[in-house]
Amino acid sequence: MKKLLAMLLALLFVLSCGFAIAESDLDYCEINWYIGSQPPNDADLKIVNDALNEYLMEKINCKVKITYMTSPDWVAKMGTMLASGEDCGIVGFGSQSKSDYVIESQRGSYYPMNEFLDTFAADTKALFPDGVWEGMKVNGNIYGIPSKKDNGYFISLIYNADMVEESGINLDDYHYSNFRDLEELFYDMKEWRDEAHPEMKDYPIVWNNNLIYPYNFAFETFLNDSYMAVANIDGIMDVEGYDTETVFNFYDTPEFLEFCLQKQKLVADGIYLYDYTDKDDLRKPNNGVCFFIGWGYTYMQEHLFSDAWTSKMVMSDHIWTETNNYYSAGTAISANCKNPERAMMVLNLVNTDPFVATLMRFGVQGVHWDYDANGEMTFNFEGSRNAEVGNRGYYYWYNAPVGNLTIVNAPKDLVGPNNEMMTEMNRLNAECVIPSHLGFGFDTSVVTNELAACTSIVLEYQEDLTNGKCASQEEVEKIVEEFRAKLHANGVDTIVEAVQAQVDAWRAAK
């Protein structure tokens, strides 16, 4: 009864337009919060955690204990922690917080949020349309809140504007939907650069581009980072011979072979390197690399990689989204959380309160950042713990695993003088091409063995092929044929059939 009373009082809080609850109205509690990212130093984490807790105590009479975990630590520990029944409180999921949203939801690792979203987080629920929340359902329940950020694939070509201007090449003369389209541009720029600056000829002209998706192809993928089961997107249709309702194995298509052949050729001709390990310095000095990949940028800083050259960008004319985009970063409540309703109140503040959203990215005002005489946000002031670039005390720009990015206060060099980044992000999110199966989630349990076997094969072959590592075109054709044969021998056709059957059933039930 005491817990029920607390929940009813919390509901009154929500209905009263967000006024703070008196501490006597809710029992005090503490909640763990696990975030997948490189940990800050202990001193700065304590400063931020203490500031957040002071705010949370005023609002909802609770404290959180923030724990940052590296990706290797997360992979090694978090699955076991969740499976063991530990109270993990709030936990991240997605590409940085290395928990698969669907798999962990199916395992029972997360607390169902359906009713909590309506009662304790109505403002958070209003951030996304109903179709997105349908997409977050696993077996009928919503288990996570996607982070509001670049929720579509905004893929851009970032370039050294000084070099392009010097060359006289007009980027408007080249069509750009994906990086496969840009082969002619890359060769034209390299030819000019090697003649004008022969000292640069041994450098690639383009920075690393080894992802099939979303840099080079746009389609729905039902298996995250492997493309054994995909579908075309209406209005884009990157793979010939299939409509938008037919699931197919991308590795079995002519387009996949053509892409692998193109990458091998571009590496052999010095357009790309096949290995960029320990070569980050190529992005900084003005040493010949002209083109870079951008993902999620809606505003371009003048000197993104280096003060030595001016950075600009051109965005692809293919802008789309899909269900997995919302699984890529977000927050859940662990199934054994002792105070799930209070955890939901915390998440509502994280996703709707600019103070909390900014604190979690840039730290404490007056300690890590402040406003200058012109009222502009800065890290450069006496005593700032964020003044030294590369050695900042607490600095997590984007911090996608935390929550809503679009309400963060940020310096104008990151978001533009009139907050163009957030304005453009919201516009593009609204204009994304929506695929046919937004909201469909594949139940992998029916093909567990086949998935395990085929995923191992993808890991064995995909990276070398997409990095252009083969010595010749003939070797590419041989390796692709071998890759395909192994996938077929290990059940890829069964996987495609299972996805197709579930897609058909999902569509029929709508």
Side-chain angles (χ1 to χ4, degrees), residues 86-99:
E86 183 175 335
D87 179 359
C88 297
I90 297 168
V91 290
F93 60 79
S95 57
Q96 283 182 248
S97 298
K98 295 289 185 179
S99 291

Side-chain angles (χ1 to χ4, degrees), residues 155-331:
I155 308 304
S156 55
L157 175 72
I158 300 172
Y159 61 94
N160 181 331
D162 301 330
M163 183 183 294
V164 169
E165 183 178 357
E166 182 187 354
S167 73
I169 289 175
N170 185 356
L171 298 189
D172 292 338
D173 293 339
Y174 303 86
H175 173 71
Y176 172 39
S177 293
N178 55 65
F179 268 70
R180 293 176 293 124
D181 293 338
L182 297 173
E183 178 176 331
E184 183 181 359
L185 169 63
F186 296 158
Y187 276 100
D188 289 348
M189 180 58 72
K190 187 174 188 303
E191 181 180 3
W192 170 85
R193 184 204 65 182
D194 291 356
E195 182 176 345
H197 300 280
E199 73 280 7
M200 298 178 178
K201 66 179 181 180
D202 293 331
Y203 291 107
I205 201 74
V206 193
W207 186 248
N208 194 16
N209 166 22
N210 64 351
L211 294 183
I212 293 171
Y213 172 94
Y215 297 153
N216 295 286
F217 289 91
F219 42 55
E220 287 188 274
T221 171
F222 304 113
L223 297 169
N224 293 330
D225 294 331
S226 62
Y227 311 113
M228 297 175 279
V230 304
N232 267 322
I233 296 175
D234 191 25
I236 297 179
M237 307 300 285
D238 266 354
V239 182
E240 292 186 7
Y242 297 96
D243 59 26
T244 60
E245 304 303 332
T246 302
V247 179
F248 58 92
N249 170 14
F250 175 69
Y251 301 117
D252 234 2
T253 66
E255 284 82 356
F256 173 66
L257 175 59
E258 289 166 7
F259 170 64
C260 295
L261 289 168
Q262 182 189 49
K263 277 306 297 285
Q264 188 278 331
K265 176 177 180 289
L266 295 176
V267 168
D269 291 344
I271 302 296
Y272 290 101
L273 299 177
Y274 75 80
D275 184 5
Y276 289 79
T277 306
D278 298 326
K279 292 184 172 63
D280 275 0
D281 60 311
L282 294 181
R283 295 195 293 183
K284 295 176 182 177
N286 192 2
N287 60 10
V289 180
C290 184
F291 300 111
F292 305 82
I293 288 169
W295 183 341
Y297 291 101
T298 57
Y299 170 78
M300 182 50 50
Q301 296 169 245
E302 187 176 6
H303 300 288
L304 179 65
F305 297 124
S306 173
D307 290 337
W309 53 272
T310 304
S311 49
K312 292 185 179 181
M313 73 174 184
V314 178
M315 188 169 288
S316 164
D317 61 13
H318 284 174
I319 298 173
W320 79 102
T321 191
E322 58 140 3
T323 305
N324 282 319
N325 215 331
Y326 296 95
Y327 298 164
S328 67
T331 43

